Amino acid sequence: MGLSIREICAMYQERSNKYYRKPSGRPTREASNVHDSMRALLVVYPEMPACELRAKHLRVLQEYMATGTCDLDHAPDIKPVSRTTINARIRRIMRMIRWAAEYEYVPDDQPHRLSILSPLKPGRTTALEHP
């Protein structure tokens, strides 16, 4: 069955905490950005095998982050975030899956399967826009 989303996220977060550091050793903002990006994924699909993650699941995450609500019973309402924040978070999730494929935690074609997802476009989504 393979590793779950929760397990992949935990490993990637650990890697990010070590990797994204300033020369002084202090963590950069990117480590916390990675954590923020994983939050919705962990709420909606924590036990899903990571190898089953598809573009349709990322579309659900886009909508969840844009509206703050999800059709799934176990997903609590959240504060909606802006379109640019959603796109950045989805890119980080895709980067995590590329990393997982590199280390053979997921199939090597999985990053390609996720890359077909289009980012949210200005004026074409209900997501908040920065002024």
Side-chain angles (χ1 to χ4, degrees), residues 69-83:
T69 61
C70 184
D71 292 339
L72 303 172
D73 292 336
H74 65 276
D77 290 353
I78 60 171
K79 182 180 176 190
V81 295
S82 72
R83 177 186 60 81

Side-chain angles (χ1 to χ4, degrees), residues 58-70:
L58 296 183
R59 276 195 309 277
V60 169
L61 291 178
Q62 284 176 327
E63 186 66 21
Y64 182 43
M65 289 186 274
T67 63
T69 61
C70 184

Side-chain angles (χ1 to χ4, degrees), residues 26-79:
R26 292 184 55 216
T28 66
R29 179 81 176 115
E30 186 61 16
S32 65
N33 287 340
V34 167
H35 175 55
D36 292 344
S37 298
M38 301 303 136
R39 208 172 8 218
L41 181 63
L42 287 169
V43 166
V44 179
Y45 302 115
E47 302 309 322
M48 173 189 283
C51 62
E52 293 180 12
L53 188 66
R54 300 291 187 268
K56 68 181 181 179
H57 300 114
L58 296 183
R59 276 195 309 277
V60 169
L61 291 178
Q62 284 176 327
E63 186 66 21
Y64 182 43
M65 289 186 274
T67 63
T69 61
C70 184
D71 292 339
L72 303 172
D73 292 336
H74 65 276
D77 290 353
I78 60 171
K79 182 180 176 190

Side-chain angles (χ1 to χ4, degrees), residues 46-119:
E47 302 309 322
M48 173 189 283
C51 62
E52 293 180 12
L53 188 66
R54 300 291 187 268
K56 68 181 181 179
H57 300 114
L58 296 183
R59 276 195 309 277
V60 169
L61 291 178
Q62 284 176 327
E63 186 66 21
Y64 182 43
M65 289 186 274
T67 63
T69 61
C70 184
D71 292 339
L72 303 172
D73 292 336
H74 65 276
D77 290 353
I78 60 171
K79 182 180 176 190
V81 295
S82 72
R83 177 186 60 81
T84 55
T85 299
I86 294 167
N87 288 340
R89 288 180 178 179
I90 294 295
R91 282 192 309 271
R92 286 186 186 96
I93 291 169
M94 289 178 173
R95 189 171 67 210
M96 175 188 70
I97 295 299
R98 275 195 311 273
W99 170 84
E102 178 182 350
Y103 287 92
E104 299 182 356
Y105 298 129
V106 298
D108 57 2
D109 64 335
Q110 187 161 3
H112 174 70
R113 289 196 306 252
L114 296 180
S115 70
I116 62 172
L117 180 75
S118 297

